[in-house]
Amino acid sequence: MNKPTKIYNNLNFHRSLARPCPYIPGKKEHLLFTDLTKFVSKKTLEKLVSEGFRRSENIFYKPSCKHCKACMSSRVVVNNFLFSKNFKRILRKNHDLKFKIVKPKTNYNHYKLFKNYLKLRHSKGDMTDMTYLDFRTMLEISPVDTKILHLYKNNKFYGAMLYDIYENSYSANYSFYNPKFKNRSLGTFLILKLIEEAKIKKKKYLYLGYYIKECKKMSYKIKFKPIEILKNKNWETF
């Protein structure tokens, strides 16, 4: 990390040192980030999200790679979203699941499912070594209004979506679910439920994170059409 390189609304931004890219083999990742431990207005935070920043605990960051623009922010325009035949099929398939939205609070059963999810779906990722304390910090430390959507059936925990709430938008932060139920498409189902909730709450956008065409685990977002992608500082519809 070096000295601050940019000031925005009295926020200090830093550039990270290069590290191996977690998405595209053979490339290096550089991040632009700021620490939001101190109070920052919701309007400023939502502005950062609209400019491509993501949140991890108290850190807002975005890729800042000179020779690669593969990571592009994506968002659903809630009122324009179309539930395709496949999406409707996924909703019907999971009609037996109940959901509730609560303030993030960790328990060991959720952590066990999270670790199992990582083991079966992201075994080579950076998060596989996360301890219970790391997991708790990821869920519970946030400078914004953050909620978690839990999925249940007969009081059995099936999965969750952690998301941030802004005046005009939701930002999906992280999801995990029981990978044994592959035929349920729980990852997609969680996003669809969050889109429904955003519509009820009259939010304009749902931010889904980075769309990376070259990375299978990040390219799925393009199927939530119509979707907007941030390219050259402009949001374009796909």
Side-chain angles (χ1 to χ4, degrees), residues 8 11-15 31-38 40-63 141-146 164-166 171 173 210:
Y8 174 80
L11 298 177
N12 290 326
F13 287 81
H14 302 267
R15 293 188 186 278
L31 298 177
L32 181 68
F33 67 94
T34 184
D35 187 339
L36 298 180
T37 302
K38 296 181 180 179
V40 179
S41 72
K42 288 185 178 180
K43 187 175 181 180
T44 296
L45 296 178
E46 189 164 23
K47 176 68 172 174
L48 289 176
V49 174
S50 73
E51 293 183 357
F53 282 84
R54 297 285 290 161
R55 183 185 68 82
S56 177
E57 299 168 26
N58 286 326
I59 302 296
F60 272 62
Y61 67 93
K62 71 175 180 179
I141 300 299
S142 173
V144 302
D145 185 10
T146 299
D164 296 335
I165 302 173
Y166 300 99
S171 181
N173 199 297
Y210 298 118

Side-chain angles (χ1 to χ4, degrees), residues 16-23 27-31 126:
S16 69
L17 298 175
R19 66 169 190 168
C21 178
Y23 306 117
K27 292 199 173 186
K28 296 290 185 180
E29 177 188 64
H30 299 259
L31 298 177
D126 294 340

Side-chain angles (χ1 to χ4, degrees), residues 49-222:
V49 174
S50 73
E51 293 183 357
F53 282 84
R54 297 285 290 161
R55 183 185 68 82
S56 177
E57 299 168 26
N58 286 326
I59 302 296
F60 272 62
Y61 67 93
K62 71 175 180 179
S64 182
C65 307
K66 291 183 179 180
H67 305 295
C68 180
K69 303 298 180 183
C71 298
M72 296 182 286
S73 289
S74 63
R75 69 185 184 187
V76 172
V77 182
V78 174
N79 285 336
N80 294 346
F81 179 71
L82 300 174
F83 284 86
S84 65
K85 289 183 179 179
N86 184 53
F87 288 152
K88 291 177 181 178
R89 190 180 304 114
I90 291 171
L91 289 173
R92 289 195 300 270
K93 191 181 297 184
N94 292 287
H95 75 280
D96 57 329
L97 297 183
K98 306 297 182 183
F99 76 95
K100 63 180 180 180
I101 296 171
V102 297
K103 183 177 179 180
K105 189 172 178 62
T106 319
N107 68 53
Y108 194 73
N109 285 333
H110 293 178
Y111 174 65
K112 284 172 61 179
L113 190 146
F114 168 74
K115 292 291 285 185
N116 190 41
Y117 167 78
L118 291 178
K119 180 180 178 181
L120 296 180
R121 296 298 301 269
H122 301 285
S123 60
K124 297 181 180 179
D126 294 340
M127 302 175 75
T128 53
D129 294 329
M130 285 178 64
T131 65
Y132 180 76
L133 179 58
D134 294 330
F135 178 66
R136 181 179 180 183
T137 300
M138 180 181 76
L139 264 60
E140 298 182 16
I141 300 299
S142 173
V144 302
D145 185 10
T146 299
K147 300 292 185 184
I148 191 164
L149 188 157
H150 285 165
L151 293 180
Y152 289 94
K153 181 179 179 181
N154 299 326
N155 293 320
K156 182 178 179 180
F157 182 60
Y158 271 56
M161 169 75 81
L162 184 73
Y163 67 99
D164 296 335
I165 302 173
Y166 300 99
E167 182 178 353
N168 298 304
S169 62
Y170 284 165
S171 181
N173 199 297
Y174 193 79
S175 66
F176 60 98
Y177 48 87
N178 193 326
K180 291 194 303 182
F181 302 109
K182 186 176 181 180
N183 65 319
R184 284 182 176 270
S185 303
L186 290 175
T188 298
F189 180 65
L190 282 163
I191 293 174
L192 295 176
K193 295 305 292 183
L194 197 54
I195 290 172
E196 289 183 338
E197 183 66 18
K199 195 164 189 175
I200 291 171
K201 297 299 184 182
K202 302 186 184 306
K203 301 299 182 182
K204 189 172 183 180
Y205 303 113
L206 169 61
Y207 290 89
L208 292 180
Y210 298 118
Y211 163 69
I212 306 173
K213 184 178 180 180
E214 298 86 346
C215 178
K216 184 177 180 180
K217 66 182 179 180
M218 300 294 281
S219 63
Y220 71 90
K221 292 154 188 165
I222 201 70

